């Protein structure tokens, strides 16, 4: 069995390889993993996106008996550092201080990736006793929001489609069994261009866009409904238009993010935005109608507590003496992508953490033995072993 010290050592080496999404080359961090896996004779291969870029590693441990496959998933790319001067230690330091593993990616989710590698190494040594198989996805394209590693895994003709996925996001008190979905769109608001000093009083595109923002933010959304515990939410996330001071702009683009629920889905979100745009065009006419271009849509999901793999993880946590509760998350995650593919997933249970996506990110190593034991017990149960 891989020891906690070995897991921590691998996590430290991963943290010391910067892998900020969209900034760093993922080759070095994938190389650290490949070296570790090769030294333990684990079968793995790189996953690539449609452009041929490496977006992750896939470990596959086939059992000796027939049965469903299950997957563990952790990302090895990270958020950017932000203002490095605000950190009290270097973001890629990988140090252990007072029982906390420090550095960008310590919590999200290089410690989980190292732990999952350790579980795969143990199971590889006892594969004949397992039913089905275990895949471990080490996603190097998660923080872009593209989820390229997960998409490449699902598109891989050689990979067995998993019956369920356990995603190693951190947090000791909860097992995330669901999340709001999302519907995202860009909105092009038009107007007639001109000189800002002209006597003509027609509003420019930025002014019209501001009016649309008010309409959107004043739109009435439903509350919680049924067993889904969260309400939908609309946020205007970007506004781009105009150039200089003397020109009335003829175009302003808004970005809108709507978090959806079973009672307010993508279709309802689209209708709400379309209604607001139509109202703008009536109240504040322009030469061209407002145009809406949806850019992303994921469904909301929520697993019942007795559905796998949630049931296995909750039961394993209880057996290990941890008091955890199922949670439906506000932010969307890879679980939403998997739900759209009909694959049930948990999206969070791990060590305590601080500074996730912020300054001084760190993960509590005191929790590692218990978290490791829970995932190990859950996976062995799913694979028909103990």
């Amino acid at each position: 069995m891989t020891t906690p010290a070995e897991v921590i050592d691998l996590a430290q080496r991963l943290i010391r390889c910067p892998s900020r999404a969209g900034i760093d080359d993922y080759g070095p961090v994938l190389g650290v993993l490949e070296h570790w896996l090769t030294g333990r004779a684990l079968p793995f291969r790189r996953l690539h996106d449609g452009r041929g870029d490496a977006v992750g590693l896939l470990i596959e441990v086939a059992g000796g008996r027939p049965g469903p496959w299950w997957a563990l998933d952790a990302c090895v790319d990270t958020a950017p550092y932000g203002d490095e001067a605000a950190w009290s230690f270097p973001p890629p330091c990988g140090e252990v201080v007072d029982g906390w593993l420090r550095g960008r990616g310590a919590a999200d989710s290089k410690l989980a990736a190292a732990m999952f590698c350790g579980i795969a190494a143990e199971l590889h040594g006892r594969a004949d006793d397992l039913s089905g198989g275990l895949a471990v996805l080490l996603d190097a394209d998660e923080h872009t929001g593209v989820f390229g590693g997960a998409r490449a895994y699902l598109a891989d003709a050689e990979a067995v489609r998993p019956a369920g996925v356990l995603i190693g996001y951190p947090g000791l008190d909860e097992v995330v069994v669901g999340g709001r979905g999302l519907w995202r769109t860009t909105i092009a608001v038009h107007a007639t261009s001109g000189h800002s000093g002209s006597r003509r009083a027609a509003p420019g595109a930025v002014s019209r866009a501001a009016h649309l923002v008010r309409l959107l933010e004043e739109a009435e959304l439903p509350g919680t409904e049924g067993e889904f515990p969260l309400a939908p939410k609309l946020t205007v996330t970007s506004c781009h238009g105009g150039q200089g001071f003397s020109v009335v702009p003829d175009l302003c683009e808004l970005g809108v993010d709507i978090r959806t629920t079973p009672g307010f889905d993508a279709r309802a979100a689209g209708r709400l935005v379309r209604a607001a745009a139509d109202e703008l065009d009536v109240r504040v006419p322009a030469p061209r109608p407002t145009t809406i271009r949806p850019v992303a849509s994921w469904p909301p999901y929520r697993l019942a507590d007795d559905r796998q793999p949630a049931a296995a993880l909750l039961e394993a946590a209880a057996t290990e003496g941890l008091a955890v509760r199922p949670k439906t998350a506000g932010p969307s995650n890879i679980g939403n992508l998997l739900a759209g593919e009909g694959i049930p997933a948990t999206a969070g249970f791990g060590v305590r953490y601080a500074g996730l996506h912020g300054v001084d990110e760190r993960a509590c190593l005191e929790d590692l033995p218990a978290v490791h034991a829970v995932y190990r017990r859950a996976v062995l149960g799913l694979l028909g072993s103990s």
Side-chain angles (χ1 to χ4, degrees), residues 158-177:
E158 298 180 16
V160 179
R161 195 173 183 84
V165 179
L166 303 165
I167 304 169
Y169 295 134
L172 190 65
D173 299 327
E174 299 161 334
V175 171
V176 176
V177 297

Side-chain angles (χ1 to χ4, degrees), residues 36-43 124:
W36 194 94
L37 297 169
T38 299
R40 288 154 181 81
L42 273 165
H124 181 57

Side-chain angles (χ1 to χ4, degrees), residues 173-242:
D173 299 327
E174 299 161 334
V175 171
V176 176
V177 297
R180 285 189 295 202
L182 62 79
W183 185 81
R184 290 172 175 164
T185 188
T186 58
I187 305 175
V189 180
H190 303 279
T192 300
S193 63
H195 195 290
S196 61
S198 170
R199 293 183 180 183
R200 184 175 58 87
V206 172
S207 297
R208 296 188 75 241
H211 193 96
L212 179 57
V213 170
R214 287 194 296 272
L215 292 173
L216 289 170
E217 293 185 340
E218 292 170 359
E220 187 172 345
L221 298 174
T224 58
E225 183 176 326
E227 296 183 355
F228 199 84
L230 299 174
K233 180 182 180 184
L234 182 152
T235 307
V236 178
T237 57
S238 65
C239 181
H240 303 286

Side-chain angles (χ1 to χ4, degrees), residues 8 22 41 78 80 82-83 94 145 232 234 239 250 255 274 295 315 336 339 351 383:
I8 294 168
T78 73
D83 180 7
L234 182 152
C239 181
D250 59 3
R274 183 70 266 170
V295 296
E315 181 180 353
N336 296 88
V351 302
L383 296 174

Side-chain angles (χ1 to χ4, degrees), residues 62-374:
R65 301 191 298 267
W69 279 62
W70 303 89
L72 298 171
D73 173 21
C75 58
V76 294
D77 69 329
T78 73
Y81 297 154
D83 180 7
E84 294 187 48
W87 288 63
S88 63
F89 48 82
C93 69
E95 298 172 343
V96 175
V97 178
D98 296 329
W100 289 79
L101 176 62
R102 294 177 163 189
R104 176 62 85 222
D108 184 17
S109 295
K110 291 182 176 181
L111 182 61
M115 179 180 65
F116 288 167
C117 287
I119 291 174
E122 178 192 352
L123 268 57
H124 181 57
R126 53 186 296 184
D128 290 344
D129 298 332
L130 308 178
S131 299
L134 175 70
V136 177
L137 171 63
L138 303 169
D139 193 338
D141 191 31
E142 192 263 13
H143 283 83
T144 61
V146 175
F147 298 163
R151 293 182 187 277
Y153 171 38
L154 296 176
D156 192 326
E158 298 180 16
V160 179
R161 195 173 183 84
V165 179
L166 303 165
I167 304 169
Y169 295 134
L172 190 65
D173 299 327
E174 299 161 334
V175 171
V176 176
V177 297
R180 285 189 295 202
L182 62 79
W183 185 81
R184 290 172 175 164
T185 188
T186 58
I187 305 175
V189 180
H190 303 279
T192 300
S193 63
H195 195 290
S196 61
S198 170
R199 293 183 180 183
R200 184 175 58 87
V206 172
S207 297
R208 296 188 75 241
H211 193 96
L212 179 57
V213 170
R214 287 194 296 272
L215 292 173
L216 289 170
E217 293 185 340
E218 292 170 359
E220 187 172 345
L221 298 174
T224 58
E225 183 176 326
E227 296 183 355
F228 199 84
L230 299 174
K233 180 182 180 184
L234 182 152
T235 307
V236 178
T237 57
S238 65
C239 181
H240 303 286
Q243 185 174 8
F245 291 95
S246 63
V247 177
V248 176
D250 59 3
L251 174 64
C252 183
E253 291 189 326
L254 300 177
V256 177
D257 176 285
I258 299 180
R259 298 303 164 125
T260 59
T261 68
F264 188 83
D265 59 10
R267 183 171 297 180
R271 287 196 300 264
L272 182 148
V273 171
R274 183 70 266 170
D278 289 345
E279 184 174 350
L280 171 71
D281 290 343
V282 170
R283 289 190 183 185
V284 190
R288 295 176 58 187
T290 300
T291 56
I292 298 167
R293 184 173 64 87
V295 296
S297 179
W298 296 334
Y301 78 103
R302 189 181 192 280
L303 304 186
D305 298 353
D306 59 354
R307 186 178 180 190
Q308 299 294 13
L313 198 56
L314 288 165
E315 181 180 353
T319 302
E320 294 295 331
L322 296 178
V324 300
R325 59 185 180 275
K327 176 188 177 182
T328 301
S332 304
N333 53 65
I334 292 181
N336 296 88
L337 171 67
L338 295 168
E341 297 285 335
I343 299 173
T346 61
F349 170 72
V351 302
R352 287 171 290 169
Y353 63 93
L356 189 147
H357 287 198
V359 300
D360 288 355
E361 181 178 347
R362 53 203 186 277
C364 180
L365 296 178
E366 178 185 356
D367 302 335
L368 179 61
V371 171
H372 180 274
V374 169

